[in-house]
Amino acid sequence: MTLPDFFSAFRIHNDASGYRSGIESLSLDDLNPGEVVIKTAYSSVNYKDALAGTGEGKILRRFPLVGGIDVAGHVVASTDPGFREGDAVLVTGCGLSETRDGGYAEYARLQAEWVIPLPGGLSLRESMILGTAGFTAALALYRMLDNRQTPGLGPLAVTGATGGVGSLAVDIFSRAGFEVHAISGKPEHAAYLTAIGANRVLGRDALSTTRPMETAHFGGGLDNVGGPMLASLLAQTTPYGNVATAGLAASHDLPTTVMPFIIRGVSLLGVASAGTARDIRDAVWQHLASDWKPAHLDTICTRETTLDGLPEVFRTMLAGQSFGRTVVRMG
């Protein structure tokens, strides 16, 4: 395939002229080296992307870089024998929009070691409705199951349930056979949460206790918020339940004690999706394409945009006014 001399990309700078981002015309020579070149079909918007694109968070470790921590498309050139022209592939995390150019471009050049062949059972668009958010939610479940989580321990709580990770976790956990209690401070979205698989929708006051131990209401769960809500979830988790932590939307602090851990045997599991080992990454994506594939992806995808719509999406997300997932369509 003949590659274009130039293509559009959403690039982020931080130099003497200040922090800024926007659409630029780039060539492949402007991108980081890599064995696999793809024509991008879709990307997505994660909270991390909004922080990076606006400078509200210190995400990028070098500048300038193309934004977008997720990308999916078709291979147009490869020096790695594992990939051929026309192959459908995806990458999430793995340093995109942090140490190397990401997915907000019509073409992306990628390191072959992180490129995932699109699993059967997923379209490229579906893979980006999932993206890092879905991978994170599924990785949390993978870790909990690896530590002997079962539906018999009780319902799984999901905090920040209307966000991307939270919404997909509600659907994924439900698909995996768990009762799911969605915790949200947005009562106007209760019907949405029920529609995507929540058995109950609870307000933030359900996790408002400041006592080190409380009556156990949950078998475990996934926390995207941090701070007192995570501490309260730990205090209300049943013996030998697992709580996965994947975010700090409210706080990076954890005001808790060792009591849930040494009296009830509760486990706190960290979920760091970006650097996940390749064998685990492959296993999680296979689950996402089959038994854990969310049943309500079209409902969870609440917005679709193009590169020029990214600044408004970032503003909405950082203002706490978005819910579900936003997909970025190229072309």
Side-chain angles (χ1 to χ4, degrees), residues 196-271:
I196 63 173
N199 299 93
R200 295 186 65 189
V201 179
L202 307 174
R204 291 174 181 160
D205 58 345
L207 294 179
S208 62
T209 184
T210 57
R211 297 173 62 184
M213 292 277 283
E214 188 59 85
T215 301
H217 296 294
F218 307 104
L222 171 60
D223 176 66
N224 298 291
V225 177
M229 288 189 74
L230 174 54
S232 181
L233 177 54
L234 290 166
Q236 297 182 62
T237 295
T238 197
Y240 294 97
N242 297 281
V243 175
T245 176
L248 39 67
S251 174
H252 63 270
D253 291 327
L254 182 54
T256 190
T257 73
V258 299
M259 291 176 68
F261 311 119
I262 65 173
I263 294 177
R264 289 185 178 155
V266 171
S267 294
L268 179 60
L269 306 176
V271 180

Side-chain angles (χ1 to χ4, degrees), residues 39-243:
K39 187 179 191 315
T40 304
Y42 295 97
S43 183
S44 72
V45 183
N46 302 275
Y47 194 72
K48 193 174 180 180
D49 292 313
L51 293 173
T54 60
E56 291 297 315
K58 296 181 179 180
I59 306 300
L60 275 64
R61 299 183 188 178
R62 53 183 294 270
F63 297 88
L65 282 181
V66 175
I69 66 175
D70 297 337
V71 62
H74 290 99
V75 174
V76 293
S78 175
T79 59
D80 186 285
F83 297 96
R84 296 180 299 177
E85 184 176 334
D87 287 350
V89 298
L90 65 95
V91 179
T92 58
C94 302
L96 298 188
S97 189
E98 184 177 349
T99 58
R100 57 180 296 113
D101 292 304
Y104 290 162
E106 292 178 301
Y107 289 83
R109 187 154 57 184
L110 308 164
Q111 291 176 289
E113 63 182 309
W114 297 120
V115 178
I116 305 288
L118 182 72
L122 285 179
S123 68
L124 289 171
R125 183 175 184 273
E126 288 174 331
S127 78
M128 289 294 96
I129 298 175
L130 291 164
T132 287
F135 180 79
T136 299
L139 181 59
L141 180 59
Y142 186 92
R143 294 217 61 201
M144 287 190 283
L145 292 176
D146 196 43
N147 207 37
R148 302 175 65 86
Q149 188 75 36
T150 66
L153 290 175
L156 294 181
V158 177
T159 67
T162 62
V165 176
S167 294
L168 288 161
V170 168
D171 202 333
I172 290 167
F173 294 176
S174 177
R175 283 275 286 145
F178 288 86
E179 181 178 342
V180 182
H181 291 185
I183 315 294
S184 175
K186 299 179 178 179
E188 67 273 19
H189 294 316
Y192 160 78
L193 292 169
T194 300
I196 63 173
N199 299 93
R200 295 186 65 189
V201 179
L202 307 174
R204 291 174 181 160
D205 58 345
L207 294 179
S208 62
T209 184
T210 57
R211 297 173 62 184
M213 292 277 283
E214 188 59 85
T215 301
H217 296 294
F218 307 104
L222 171 60
D223 176 66
N224 298 291
V225 177
M229 288 189 74
L230 174 54
S232 181
L233 177 54
L234 290 166
Q236 297 182 62
T237 295
T238 197
Y240 294 97
N242 297 281
V243 175

Side-chain angles (χ1 to χ4, degrees), residues 246-314:
L248 39 67
S251 174
H252 63 270
D253 291 327
L254 182 54
T256 190
T257 73
V258 299
M259 291 176 68
F261 311 119
I262 65 173
I263 294 177
R264 289 185 178 155
V266 171
S267 294
L268 179 60
L269 306 176
V271 180
S273 65
T276 305
R278 179 58 188 256
D279 61 329
I280 297 176
R281 188 176 291 274
D282 287 340
V284 169
W285 275 108
Q286 287 302 319
H287 279 300
L288 283 169
S290 55
D291 53 331
W292 295 355
K293 182 178 179 179
H296 307 93
L297 285 174
D298 286 336
T299 301
I300 292 171
C301 182
T302 56
R303 187 170 186 176
E304 189 169 302
T305 188
T306 54
L307 291 179
D308 57 5
L310 285 172
E312 175 58 27
V313 173
F314 295 160

